[in-house]
Amino acid sequence: MNLRLANINDLSKLKAVYGNIIDNMNRNNIPIWDEIYPCEFFSDDIENNRLYLLVEEHDDIVAAFALCESNAGESYVKWENAHDKALYLDRFGVNVNYSRRGIGGIMLKHAITLTKQKNAKYLRLFVVDINKPAINVYLKNGFRQVDGIYEERIDDDLILREYGFEIEVLR
């Protein structure tokens, strides 16, 4: 498997993979992604060279994540040191055909390595409170939950309660 930046030619395949992830999340009562998020953000991620793919030899997309310089929720929680440089892991997903194989942990290690290479001290992320499988992956891989909750208002009927997690990558 190979980690690489996504390009515009990956977009349709990427959206199909995430469509399956969304269907699987809905089946497991984690209805937090839809036809807009995260798929509508991929073009911008690609254009800004922040979307990474783990691909198999036949260019099957195994997993993906965006590594962003900021996050709308960053000031709503209590980071260990809010003034140190941090990158934010967003839109992290593993192809359902590759689930339960440790891919999540492999991708987090890649994200940590990239964060170090970009001289950021922390890798941070937000996860919706009902996404227990994701929370468990982050905790298992050394992330710690910080105090506070970011309530992201999607519309009048939907507010996502998100926990912040971080790991120090440069000491």
Side-chain angles (χ1 to χ4, degrees):
M1 287 188 266
N2 176 39
L3 185 78
R4 65 170 174 80
L5 277 169
N7 63 62
I8 205 68
N9 298 326
D10 297 312
L11 200 52
S12 62
K13 203 183 293 189
L14 188 62
K15 287 183 176 185
V17 166
Y18 273 73
N20 290 334
I21 293 170
I22 292 164
D23 290 345
N24 189 56
M25 290 170 76
N26 288 336
R27 277 193 301 277
N28 288 293
N29 295 313
I30 310 171
I32 54 178
W33 284 357
D34 58 23
E35 66 282 349
I36 297 168
Y37 188 88
C39 293
E40 291 304 310
F41 290 77
F42 291 146
S43 293
D44 194 48
D45 288 337
I46 291 168
E47 196 173 294
N48 288 290
N49 291 316
R50 64 178 176 227
L51 186 64
Y52 294 87
L53 305 179
L54 188 66
V55 294
E56 280 277 34
E57 58 195 61
H58 302 295
D59 236 19
D60 277 348
I61 297 172
V62 176
F65 62 76
L67 210 50
C68 302
E69 306 238 337
S70 63
N71 185 289
E74 65 189 277
S75 64
Y76 290 84
V77 298
K78 190 169 176 31
W79 303 113
E80 184 173 29
N81 189 335
H83 303 294
D84 283 331
K85 183 177 177 185
L87 293 178
Y88 292 85
L89 186 74
D90 276 320
R91 298 177 271 292
F92 178 31
V94 175
N95 184 326
V96 294
N97 297 329
Y98 292 86
S99 58
R100 315 224 36 86
R101 295 192 201 174
I103 301 296
I106 290 168
M107 288 299 278
L108 289 174
K109 285 178 183 56
H110 283 305
I112 288 167
T113 299
L114 289 164
T115 301
K116 286 180 188 174
Q117 289 171 355
K118 294 174 184 286
N119 291 317
K121 186 168 183 178
Y122 293 95
L123 177 59
R124 296 179 174 149
L125 59 94
F126 285 90
V127 61
V128 177
D129 59 354
I130 62 170
N131 195 348
K132 304 292 188 226
I135 291 169
N136 290 336
V137 168
Y138 300 132
L139 291 172
K140 181 178 163 187
N141 283 278
F143 285 77
R144 68 174 194 83
Q145 185 175 342
V146 299
D147 290 336
I149 293 177
Y150 169 46
E151 292 190 341
E152 184 178 7
R153 179 176 294 279
I154 306 303
D155 58 36
D156 289 342
D157 300 327
L158 181 61
I159 296 175
L160 298 178
R161 295 173 45 84
E162 300 179 32
Y163 300 135
F165 285 81
E166 70 181 351
I167 190 168
E168 187 174 348
V169 300
L170 289 179
R171 299 199 185 269

